Amino acid sequence: MDLDFLTPYIGQLSFGGVLGFAAGYFVKKVGKMALFVVGGLFILLQVLAAYGFIQIDWLSIQQKADPLFKEENVRTATDQFMKLITANLPFTGAFVAGFALGFRAG
């Protein structure tokens, strides 16, 4: 099997894979920490609300968050993500594969 067609892309593939692995590992570690903090804050707020120290207006929070999830905003974000992913396909492909491996290893 002749793989000479890959020669111009070897640098992009290896660099993308290594950076993807590092990014995946980092995202998993930081993501766990962020979820721990967010979960802890939510529990703290619920306990404070249960004992009457604070009052949380969840309806107001929902009304402020709803516009972020409108269909046109989600569609725009998806379109921008697809442009980003397909911009440099060899690098991006290796990056995504490396990211998946790094995320799994983290």
Side-chain angles (χ1 to χ4, degrees):
M1 184 172 187
D2 190 19
L3 298 176
D4 289 339
F5 70 94
L6 287 176
T7 303
Y9 303 109
I10 294 295
Q12 289 183 11
L13 292 172
S14 59
F15 192 59
V18 168
L19 288 180
F21 184 87
Y25 192 88
F26 174 79
V27 165
K28 187 167 184 182
K29 293 296 183 184
V30 170
K32 283 182 179 181
M33 191 180 343
L35 288 174
F36 179 79
V37 170
V38 169
L41 286 174
F42 177 73
I43 291 170
L44 178 65
L45 288 174
Q46 289 297 95
V47 168
L48 291 173
Y51 284 103
F53 291 108
I54 62 171
Q55 186 173 4
I56 303 171
D57 186 3
W58 290 114
L59 184 59
S60 175
I61 293 171
Q62 180 183 356
Q63 289 171 347
K64 292 195 186 315
D66 277 345
L68 298 174
F69 299 102
K70 285 189 177 179
E71 185 177 345
E72 59 269 8
N73 292 341
V74 173
R75 187 180 320 269
T76 301
T78 304
D79 291 343
Q80 289 175 346
F81 179 72
M82 289 307 293
K83 280 184 191 176
L84 177 70
I85 290 295
T86 58
N88 186 356
L89 210 47
F91 177 84
T92 303
F95 183 88
V96 169
F99 186 92
L101 290 172
F103 193 81
R104 186 170 182 182

